[in-house]
Amino acid sequence: MSGRGKTVIGRDGLADLVAILAEDGYRVIGPQVADGAVVYEPLDSADDLPAGVVDDHDGGHYRLRREADGAVFAHVVGPQSWKRYLYPPVQALWRAERHGKGFRVIEEPADDGRDAFIGVRPCDIRAMAVHDRVFDRGDVVDGGYARRRRDAFVVAVNCTRAGGTCFCVSMGTGPAAGEGFDLALTELVGDNGHEFLVEAGSAAGGGVLDRLGGRDATAEDEAAAEAAVGQAAASMGRHMAADAPAVLMANLESPHWDGVAARCLACGNCTMVCPTCFCTTVEDATDLGGQVAERRRRWDSCFAADHSYIHGGSVRRETSARYRQWITHKLATWHEQFGTSGCVGCGRCITWCPVGIDITEEVRTLGGADKGD
Amino acid sequence: MPTAAAATLEPMTPVPFRVLGMRKELPDTYTLDLAPADGDGPLHFAPGQFNMLYHFGVGEIPISISGDPAATDRLTHTIRSVGAVSRGMGTLKAGDMVGVRGPFGSAWPVDEARGRDVVIVCGGIGLAPLRPAIYHILANRPSYGRLVILYGARSPRDILFRRELERWGGRLDTYVDATVDRATGEWSGNVGVVTNLIRHSGFDPVDTIAMVCGPETMMQYTVEALRDRGLDNTRIYLSMERNMKCAVGFCGRCQFGGAFVCRDGPVFRFDRIAPIFRVWEF
Ligand SMILES: Cc1cc2nc3c(=O)[nH]c(=O)nc-3n(C[C@H](O)[C@H](O)[C@H](O)COP(=O)(O)OP(=O)(O)OC[C@H]3O[C@@H](n4cnc5c(N)ncnc54)[C@H](O)[C@@H]3O)c2cc1C
Ligand code: SF4
Ligand code: SF4
C-alpha cells in the first residue's frame, strides 16, 4: 500500500495517471465516446475521456447528452464491459498441424500484454470477482484469463450519479467499490473546482499513487466524496427483490414465462452486454489444404437455438425456456454454482434490451406481488 | 492424462492419441480403442466418466468411456454416428489420431453398491457408459448381490454388444433381459419399452442400487417404474446428456439447474435432480 492516506488530485492529475501507467508498460483502456455510446477503448491520453458526457438510461433506451460541469465520470456504464479484455469475444485456443498419419497440437502463444483499466465501476469490479470464480477455480484454471486478470491494473471510479437502470444498491455491489481495485477515484466537482479523491487498494496502486502529485485529503474532501456517492445510492430508481432466488425457483412452471416470451426477441443482447455472462461456443476451421486446423472460442448466448442442442433437437426450444434459463442462472442457480449472484446490478441488460425487458420487474411480476419501488 | 506434459497444458488443449483398433458394432455404431501417441503411463478412469474426443479439423464431442476400467493400457469409446464429428470419427483406422481431453465427470456408484443388488437399465447407446460398471461388478462379483441388466433397443439389429449381453446372461449370477421397440424376423424376445422388464426382474427393492442411462424420456419412465417397485430416489442414479463444448465448466452450455453436467454429472443421484428433472425444457 501507499504510505499516503487518501489523496486529492486535480483534473490534470488524470493525465499524469494515464501517462504513468503507459510508462509502466500498460495498455491504458478507458471510457470514451464512439458512435453515440461510451465504450472502453485504449486511450491516447486523458483527453480521450468523456468529459461532460452524461448517459440517460431506461428500458430499451440509451442517449448521451452534455453537461457543462465537464465531469469525466458522470456517465455510468456503456454497452461493453471489461470482460471483452479479460475474456475476449473471440479467443484462439490452439492449432493442430498434420504430421504423418496424425497431427501435432500447438498451443497458441500466450499474449503477454498488460492492461490498465481506468474508470471501472463498482458493479464491474464485482463482475470481475464473479468471473474469477468461474475461470480460476483452483482445480481448473483458464490460463489466459488468470494471467490477464492478475496483470491488470484496475482504477475504479465510485459512482456519484445513479444511471437510469442501475440497481447495484439492492445487489450490494455499489455505488462505492469496497475492494478489488488498485486505485479508486471519486470525482468531486464543486466549489473547490474539479478534483478526484484517490485511494490505493493494493501495493501496486500505492506505488502509482506515490508518483502522482496531489495533496493529502482533508476531512471535508472525504465528506464530500461520501455525500456524492451517498447521493447516487439514494437516487437509484430500481431495485432487485431480495427473495429473487426463491421466487424464481418456486415458479419454474409459471405461465409468466410465456408472457415474457411474447415480448422477448431471443436476440441475446442481454447476454452480450452482461459483464458476467460467460457462455461460449467453439469453432473449428482448417486451411484450404486441410493441413492446419484451428480451434477458436467465441462468446455465445443461451438465447441461441444451438446452445442447448443435443442430437435430435434443442433442450430449450421455446423462448420462454431460454429466458427462464437466463434469469434463473443469473439470479438463482449461480449461487449454487459459484456461491454468489451472477447479477451485479449494472442495468446493462435492461438498457440494451431492444424491447426494454427489465430483470427487476420480471422477478417482481413473477413473485406475484407488486411491491413497487 | 498420461503424459507429464499434459499437466501443464491449458484445460482446453487435447492430447494426441493413436487409434489402436476400430470395430464396427452396428450399422451406425463403432468402438475405438485409443492409446497415447507419446508416452504410455496407465490410463485410469472411473466407470461412467467421459472424454472429449477431437476429430482433426471437424470438432470435439463428449463420449463416455465404454471399456474395462481394469485395462489401463487403452481408452475404449463406443460411438453412434449422428452428426459431423461422430460420423467423421467413424472413418478412422488403426494408426490414425484423435485428440483426447479427460477423463471428466462423476462416476457410477460402484463402491456404494457393494453388498447390494444392482439393477442396470439402459436404452440404445446408453449401454456403452454402463459397460465399465458391469465389467467392474463382474470382476468383483462376490462383493455384490444380484446383478440385473435390462436393455432396450429400437430393433433386434440395433442391440449393442449383443454377444456380451448373451454371455453375461449365460452366467448363473447375472440376470439379463432385453426388449425391442419393433420386432423383426427371428426375434422371439420381448417387444415394448424397457420399463416393462423391470416388473419381471427379481431384485430386493430395499437394498438395490439402480443405474440408468438412455434417452431422457426413457429415463423418466424408468425412474417411475423403479419407484413403483419400491426404490428410493437416493438409490437411483442416472446419466444426463447436455450440449457441452469444454467439459470443465467454462462454456456454460451443459447447465442443468444449479449443476454443470460436465463436472457435477453426468451421473447424478436422482434425489439431487428430482426437483428439476421433470420441469419442461429446463
Ligand atoms: C457426458 C456425455 C457422454 C456421451 N457419451 C456418448 C457415448 O458414449 N457414445 C455416443 O455415441 N454418444 C455419446 N454422447 C453423445 C455425443 O456427445 C453426441 O452424439 C455428439 O456430440 C454428436 O456430435 P456430432 O458432431 O456427431 O453431431 P451433430 O448433430 O452434428 O452435433 C453438433 C454439435 O452439437 C453438440 N451435440 C450434439 N448432440 C449432443 C449430445 N447428445 N450431447 C452433447 N452434445 C451434443 C456437440 O457439440 C456437437 O458437436 C455423450 C454425450 C454426453 C454429454
Ligand atoms: S443480469 Fe443485467 S443487471 Fe445483472 S449484471 Fe448482467 S447485465 Fe448487469
Ligand atoms: S430479454 Fe431482451 S435483450 Fe434479452 S434476448 Fe430477450 S429481447 Fe433480447
Side-chain angles (χ1 to χ4, degrees):
Chain A
M1 298 268 166
S2 164
R4 306 174 72 179
K6 291 187 185 173
T7 302
V8 173
I9 60 172
R11 174 71 173 81
D12 48 0
L14 275 189
D16 297 338
L17 177 60
V18 172
I20 289 172
L21 291 170
E23 197 178 294
D24 287 355
Y26 289 103
R27 175 174 66 158
V28 185
I29 298 165
Q32 48 195 290
V33 174
D35 298 327
V38 172
V39 297
Y40 306 128
E41 291 290 340
L43 299 171
D44 289 329
S45 75
D47 293 342
D48 292 341
L49 293 167
V53 172
V54 178
D55 46 359
D56 289 330
H57 291 248
D58 204 344
H61 171 88
Y62 176 78
R63 188 156 298 147
L64 299 184
R65 58 186 166 80
R66 299 225 157 246
E67 287 277 355
D69 65 5
V72 177
F73 298 112
H75 66 280
V76 284
V77 293
Q80 305 167 336
S81 72
W82 304 94
K83 79 177 176 186
R84 70 183 280 107
Y85 293 104
L86 293 170
Y87 199 68
V90 182
Q91 300 166 44
L93 292 172
W94 43 263
R95 278 178 309 127
E97 286 175 4
R98 277 220 183 277
H99 184 67
K101 277 184 94 178
F103 55 84
R104 265 199 291 251
V105 179
I106 300 149
E107 294 196 285
E108 286 297 321
D111 56 316
D112 53 4
R114 302 191 302 162
D115 288 337
F117 303 138
I118 293 194
V120 185
R121 301 301 167 151
C123 56
D124 283 346
I125 286 183
R126 183 64 76 91
M128 291 177 188
V130 168
H131 269 183
D132 291 346
R133 296 185 185 210
V134 177
F135 299 124
D136 197 353
R137 293 198 308 271
D139 59 337
V140 185
V141 177
D142 185 88
Y145 172 86
R147 210 255 339 130
R148 288 186 291 271
R149 173 81 165 111
R150 187 189 60 234
D151 290 349
F153 188 97
V154 174
V155 181
V157 169
N158 294 321
C159 293
T160 51
R161 178 181 153 260
T165 55
C166 297
F167 56 99
C168 63
V169 171
S170 58
M171 299 309 294
T173 55
E179 55 181 13
F181 53 82
D182 294 292
L183 290 176
L185 312 180
T186 310
E187 188 164 29
L188 300 169
V189 188
D191 301 341
N192 291 341
H194 193 168
E195 293 179 313
F196 299 87
L197 182 76
V198 193
E199 178 190 352
S202 70
V208 171
L209 184 55
D210 286 339
R211 287 149 70 197
L212 278 173
R215 59 176 173 84
D216 290 347
T218 63
E220 287 80 53
D221 296 322
E222 295 203 32
E226 208 168 290
V229 173
Q231 200 282 120
S235 62
M236 200 159 290
R238 289 172 209 257
H239 78 266
M240 177 60 75
D243 58 354
V247 165
L248 289 163
M249 294 316 278
N251 288 286
L252 293 178
E253 311 252 23
S254 165
H256 174 69
W257 302 115
D258 290 331
V260 194
R263 289 170 282 143
C264 175
L265 313 172
C267 67
N269 271 14
C270 47
T271 58
M272 294 295 118
V273 298
C274 179
T276 68
C277 273
F278 61 85
C279 283
T280 49
T281 187
V282 289
E283 295 169 349
D284 294 280
T286 48
D287 66 345
L288 280 180
Q291 294 303 301
V292 182
E294 256 183 24
R295 185 147 248 243
R296 282 187 298 266
R297 176 160 61 188
R298 184 184 291 278
W299 286 359
D300 195 18
S301 169
C302 55
F303 285 92
D306 72 351
H307 184 274
S308 65
Y309 177 82
I310 57 177
H311 176 63
S314 295
V315 173
R316 295 186 268 289
R317 289 164 205 255
E318 302 292 332
T319 298
S320 48
R322 294 183 200 165
Y323 186 85
R324 180 184 62 187
Q325 169 61 23
W326 180 72
I327 193 171
T328 54
H329 186 217
K330 283 284 111 166
L331 295 167
T333 54
W334 208 295
H335 286 277
E336 289 172 55
Q337 296 167 352
F338 302 110
T340 175
S341 174
C343 174
V344 298
C346 73
R348 285 182 176 93
C349 58
I350 306 173
T351 301
W352 278 283
C353 174
V355 295
I357 293 174
D358 177 342
I359 187 171
T360 65
E361 207 174 292
E362 294 309 321
V363 170
R364 243 185 327 271
T365 324
L366 192 64
D370 190 7
K371 294 175 188 130
D373 279 325
Chain B
M1 282 290 94
T3 53
T8 64
L9 286 178
E10 277 287 313
M12 296 293 283
T13 307
V15 176
F17 272 59
R18 285 275 175 212
V19 176
L20 295 179
M22 145 72 83
R23 262 187 316 287
K24 206 166 175 70
E25 305 281 2
L26 300 173
D28 65 353
T29 305
Y30 54 94
T31 294
L32 290 176
D33 286 322
L34 307 171
D38 347 275
D40 32 24
L43 301 157
H44 292 291
F45 73 96
Q49 288 194 300
F50 67 96
N51 282 313
M52 294 297 284
L53 300 186
Y54 169 71
H55 184 46
F56 185 85
V58 184
E60 191 188 43
I61 55 174
I63 298 291
S64 304
I65 307 172
S66 68
D68 185 347
T72 56
D73 61 334
R74 63 189 55 202
L75 285 173
T76 301
H77 291 276
T78 302
I79 304 168
R80 188 154 83 94
S81 299
V82 297
V85 181
S86 50
R87 274 201 200 105
M89 276 195 300
T91 65
L92 292 173
K93 295 180 183 57
D96 288 343
M97 215 177 243
V98 294
V100 178
R101 293 190 295 127
F104 297 114
S106 60
W108 297 112
V110 289
D111 289 333
E112 205 208 319
R114 274 174 188 270
R116 301 193 160 115
D117 289 358
V118 177
V119 54
I120 285 173
V121 190
C122 43
I125 188 79
L127 177 55
L130 274 160
R131 192 168 66 161
I134 297 172
Y135 285 142
H136 179 87
I137 292 167
L138 291 177
N140 299 275
R141 194 62 192 88
S143 307
Y144 295 88
R146 279 184 66 87
L147 173 60
V148 172
I149 301 170
L150 308 176
Y151 181 63
R154 280 173 302 183
S155 77
R157 64 190 282 272
D158 293 310
I159 296 179
L160 185 63
F161 306 143
R162 186 167 185 164
R163 257 192 243 123
E164 264 181 308
L165 282 168
E166 284 165 1
R167 195 163 354 110
W168 297 332
R171 293 174 62 128
L172 292 175
D173 59 8
T174 305
Y175 175 90
V176 176
D177 204 0
T179 183
V180 297
D181 296 339
R182 281 172 281 106
T184 50
E186 74 311 6
W187 180 255
S188 59
N190 306 296
V191 178
V193 291
V194 70
T195 44
N196 292 342
L197 306 180
I198 292 174
R199 245 176 285 132
H200 308 296
S201 62
F203 55 86
D204 175 6
V206 296
D207 209 15
T208 291
I209 294 283
M211 308 183 193
V212 186
C213 186
E216 218 158 302
T217 331
M218 168 267 180
M219 293 202 287
Q220 287 187 358
Y221 287 112
T222 302
V223 166
E224 240 164 64
L226 290 169
R227 290 176 45 80
D228 286 347
R229 276 293 312 272
L231 247 73
D232 188 84
N233 283 354
T234 61
R235 295 292 171 82
I236 303 172
Y237 289 77
L238 31 93
S239 186
M240 294 292 299
E241 220 180 335
R242 283 292 181 270
N243 186 300
M244 51 182 76
K245 297 290 182 189
C246 77
V248 289
F250 292 165
C251 79
R253 299 168 79 108
C254 72
Q255 289 177 67
F256 181 47
F260 286 96
V261 171
C262 69
R263 332 192 236 133
D264 306 312
V267 177
F268 290 94
R269 202 172 86 181
F270 185 64
D271 61 314
R272 308 228 160 98
I273 54 170
I276 55 170
F277 188 60
R278 276 165 187 289
V279 176
W280 56 274
E281 297 192 8
F282 198 48

